[in-house]
Amino acid sequence: MVFQQIIPVHVDTIQLLCLFLHGNFDPTMTDKIRIKDIAQRAGVSVGTVDRVLHERPNVSSKARARVEAALKEVNYQPNMYASALAYNRSYTFIVLIPRHEQVAYWEEIEEGVKMAQEARRDFHVKAEIMYYEQFDEQSFLDTTRDCLEAQPDGVVIVPSDLEVTRRFTDQMHERGIPFVMLDSYMPDLKPLAFFGQDSFSSGYFAARMLMLIAGQETAIAIVKLTSNGRVVSKQQDNREVGFRHYMHDHFPSVAIIELELPLNGTRQLHNSMLEEFFVARPDIHHCITLGSKAHVVGEFLLRTNRRDVQIMGYDMVGKNAECLRQGSVSFLIAQHAYQQGYSCVDTLFRAIVLKKKVQPVNYMPIELLTRENVDFYRRTQL
C-alpha cells in the first residue's frame, strides 16, 4: 500500500502557481493591500500615499499623519523585491582593498564579494574589485580617482590613513555615493555601515589569551612593524589600547617591552635586530604583534631554534599558519572574512536597491586559532 502525504495548499497559492506556469505571474499580485485601499482608508489621493511611501516632499503634516495611521492599521508591507525588479536597471558596486598575494583573509573577502554578487544576479548587481598598494598613499589616491571616474552606485572601502581616506569619502558624500567601511572603522567619515572586529575588544581579548600561558612572566614584548616610527593601521593602534588596558587591570606588574622593526626592512635587518633583542632580553619568552606579520618573528625563532620563545599574532596569513603549526606562534586571532565581504555588498544592495535601513555598525566574532584547529579554519559560506 502506498501512502501519499496530503499537504494543505491555500487557494491563492494554487492560483499564483497557475499564473506562473502560464507566464502571467506578477510579483506585485502577492500584495493583498493596494495603495488605492490605503488612499481610501486615509481619505487622500493615491499620489499622496505614494509620496509618503517614498518619503517625498509636498505632503501636509495632517495628510501624512492620516496615511501613516492607515498604513499602521493594515500593517502594510510593500513588496520591495518586486519593485526593484520592476525597475530593471543595473547597479555597480566597487570594492577597494589592498593588493595582496596569497593571503586567506583577503581571499575570503573576495569570495564573499563574489557570492553576494551571484546571490543578487537577478537584480543586475555587479561587484568590481579594485586594488591599491597597501601603505602607499599615492597608489590609494590613484585607485580612488579611478573609482570615482567609474561612477559607482556604492563603494566598499578598506581605508588607508584617516586624512587620506577622508579626501575620498568627502568626494563620495558630495556625489551622494553610499559607502561601507571594511576592516577598520572610522566613524568620523560617516560611512553607511561598517563590518569588522571591535579593535579595542580584540586587543583586550588578545591580552587575556596571551596571559593564559604567560601569567608567570615578569615581562612580555610587543613587536611593531613601523613606518617612520609609527604603525600604519588605526586598527592596530586601537588593539594596543585594548591590550594595554587589560594588562593594566590584571597584570600591572608585568613589564611591556616594545621592539620596533622597520616595515620595509629586509629579512637580514629584521633578523639582526631580533637577535640583538633576544640576546639582551633573555627574560622575554612571550611576544605579540598586533598586525598580520607574526611570521617575521616566528620564522626567525624557527631558524635560530629558540624553542623557549613564542609570538602571538593576527590573521590567517599562510606564513603565520605555518609558524603556528611548527610551534613558534602560540595563537592567531582571525576574523570572519568571508562574511565581511558578503555582508558589505549585501548591505549596499539592501540600502540602494531595496531602499531599506541597514545596521550601521556590525562587529565580527573574534576567533582564536591554535595548531590544533588552524587546518579547519576557512569560511566558505555564511
Side-chain angles (χ1 to χ4, degrees):
M1 180 179 295
V2 178
F3 293 92
Q4 293 183 330
Q5 183 181 12
I6 300 176
I7 303 175
V9 180
H10 197 280
V11 173
D12 287 348
T13 304
I14 297 175
Q15 292 173 339
L16 289 173
L17 179 59
C18 291
L19 288 169
F20 178 80
L21 293 174
H22 287 85
N24 298 318
F25 175 65
D26 179 358
T28 59
M29 293 178 64
T30 60
D31 291 339
K32 298 181 183 298
I33 304 298
R34 301 170 300 174
I35 292 181
K36 180 179 178 181
D37 300 325
I38 300 298
Q40 290 177 348
R41 181 180 287 266
V44 298
S45 68
V46 170
T48 297
V49 176
D50 185 73
R51 286 194 291 275
V52 172
L53 287 173
H54 293 90
E55 300 180 357
R56 298 191 182 109
N58 302 323
V59 180
S60 70
S61 57
K62 290 183 178 179
R64 184 178 298 276
R66 290 201 299 270
V67 172
E68 291 175 347
L71 291 170
K72 187 174 181 180
E73 287 174 7
V74 300
N75 191 27
Y76 178 75
Q77 300 292 330
N79 192 330
M80 305 299 260
Y81 281 86
S83 298
L85 283 169
Y87 281 114
N88 196 33
R89 59 156 291 190
S90 60
Y91 301 87
T92 299
F93 302 147
I94 292 180
V95 181
L96 276 73
I97 65 174
R99 190 179 305 280
H100 57 88
E101 295 179 358
Q102 192 172 359
V103 179
Y105 175 69
W106 297 115
E107 287 180 343
E108 289 188 15
I109 283 176
E110 290 188 16
E111 287 179 13
V113 167
K114 292 173 184 176
M115 186 57 68
Q117 174 183 265
E118 181 64 22
R120 305 305 181 187
R121 183 174 55 181
D122 290 346
F123 295 87
H124 309 290
V125 169
K126 178 184 178 183
E128 178 183 346
I129 299 176
M130 289 186 174
Y131 301 96
Y132 64 89
E133 298 295 338
Q134 197 169 21
F135 314 128
D136 185 331
E137 179 178 322
Q138 190 58 52
S139 174
F140 182 81
L141 293 173
D142 291 343
T143 306
T144 56
R145 184 191 63 243
D146 293 341
C147 173
L148 290 173
E149 289 179 354
Q151 299 181 334
D153 296 287
V155 172
V156 177
I157 177 174
V158 176
S160 178
D161 174 82
L162 175 62
E163 293 308 317
V164 175
T165 305
R166 191 191 301 275
R167 297 183 213 173
F168 177 46
T169 58
D170 283 351
Q171 292 181 75
M172 286 196 286
H173 282 304
E174 290 173 4
R175 302 183 187 200
I177 302 174
F179 63 93
V180 174
M181 303 199 86
L182 171 64
D183 191 57
S184 294
Y185 186 30
M186 297 179 179
D188 291 349
L189 304 185
K190 298 180 174 58
L192 173 69
F194 163 74
F195 287 87
Q197 285 187 347
D198 181 329
S199 301
F200 177 91
S201 296
S202 177
Y204 194 93
F205 173 79
R208 184 176 182 183
M209 294 300 100
L210 180 64
M211 298 315 290
L212 289 177
I213 58 176
Q216 303 303 314
E217 301 295 322
T218 58
I220 60 173
I222 293 182
V223 180
K224 301 180 180 180
L225 278 89
T226 61
S227 176
N228 297 321
R230 65 186 182 92
V231 297
V232 293
S233 166
K234 180 177 176 62
Q235 187 182 53
Q236 291 185 46
D237 283 334
N238 291 338
R239 287 171 180 169
E240 184 172 346
V241 173
F243 183 90
R244 289 183 178 275
H245 191 82
Y246 178 89
M247 295 300 294
H248 177 271
D249 288 350
H250 299 280
F251 292 90
S253 62
V254 175
I256 301 176
I257 311 301
E258 291 190 13
L259 171 62
E260 291 190 14
L261 302 177
L263 180 64
N264 295 319
T266 63
R267 175 184 289 186
Q268 182 178 2
L269 176 60
H270 288 163
N271 289 347
S272 175
M273 295 178 70
L274 289 167
E275 180 69 30
E276 182 179 349
F277 176 77
F278 286 115
V279 168
R281 297 302 306 249
D283 57 324
I284 298 292
H285 303 290
H286 294 279
C287 317
I288 185 168
T289 177
L290 299 168
S292 62
K293 294 186 179 293
H295 62 85
V296 170
V297 181
E299 290 175 344
F300 166 80
L301 296 174
L302 292 172
R303 283 195 299 271
T304 55
N305 200 32
R306 281 182 165 83
R307 297 296 178 177
D308 62 333
V309 182
Q310 290 181 317
I311 184 167
M312 179 179 179
Y314 276 78
D315 294 334
M316 178 58 178
V317 177
K319 292 180 180 179
N320 285 351
E322 187 57 33
C323 289
L324 185 63
R325 294 185 188 97
Q326 296 193 43
S328 61
V329 169
S330 54
F331 299 118
L332 287 175
I333 293 180
Q335 308 176 59
H336 283 265
Y338 177 92
Q339 184 177 342
Q340 289 182 55
Y342 186 101
S343 298
C344 284
V345 173
D346 190 59
T347 293
L348 288 176
F349 167 78
R350 288 186 287 114
I352 296 170
V353 181
L354 299 185
K355 314 295 183 187
K356 289 188 174 184
K357 291 183 179 180
V358 296
Q359 179 72 26
V361 180
N362 305 269
Y363 288 123
M364 296 291 104
I366 301 170
E367 294 194 330
L368 190 70
L369 302 182
T370 68
R371 65 193 302 176
E372 289 78 20
N373 70 354
V374 65
D375 291 329
F376 303 102
Y377 177 80
R378 189 165 181 82
R379 292 288 179 265
T380 55
Q381 59 183 6
L382 291 175

